[in-house]
Amino acid sequence: MPRIALSYLLDDQLSIKTSVSKGYSPPSLAEVRASNNVINVDLQPEYGWNYESGISYVGLNKRLFLDVTGFYYSLKNAIVRRSISVNEKEAEYFYKCWRHKTMGH
């Protein structure tokens, strides 16, 4: 899948970085055929874009390393797991969620 990354050294101790990438994951056999043994033909591969940016610092004669990175991930056709109780038995099934977004650091 495509990925592009850039890094720039501001000085001997400080650098910045950024990247953009696309990922993809087909449904697993367990997701297509859940605990009820019914084949779910509606599940499509998950795919999404990831955006990351960060800053790195090296100091104290290269004895201190600090790295902070933030990201934003937009996932489409996310496969989501659900559990239900049927006749006092636990059953699980999977369905597609059209869009899911995650942010973090």
Side-chain angles (χ1 to χ4, degrees), residues 51-54 67-72 102-105:
Y51 306 89
E52 291 185 22
S53 291
D67 190 24
V68 177
T69 302
F71 70 89
Y72 173 79
T102 304
M103 293 173 43
H105 57 279

Side-chain angles (χ1 to χ4, degrees), residues 14-77:
L14 196 60
S15 64
I16 56 175
K17 59 187 175 182
T18 189
S19 70
V20 177
S21 59
K22 184 176 183 180
Y24 145 146
S25 176
S28 69
L29 180 59
E31 291 167 337
V32 172
R33 189 180 59 84
S35 63
N36 63 359
N37 289 323
V38 174
I39 295 175
N40 186 346
V41 295
D42 291 330
L43 291 181
Q44 299 297 318
E46 301 174 306
Y47 68 93
W49 285 93
N50 185 59
Y51 306 89
E52 291 185 22
S53 291
I55 189 166
S56 297
Y57 173 79
V58 179
L60 299 175
N61 292 324
K62 297 186 178 181
R63 290 183 290 161
L64 174 65
F65 295 89
L66 298 175
D67 190 24
V68 177
T69 302
F71 70 89
Y72 173 79
Y73 185 64
S74 177
L75 181 65
K76 294 184 180 175
N77 286 336

Side-chain angles (χ1 to χ4, degrees), residues 2-3 48 66 90:
R3 180 173 196 254
L66 298 175
E90 189 78 13

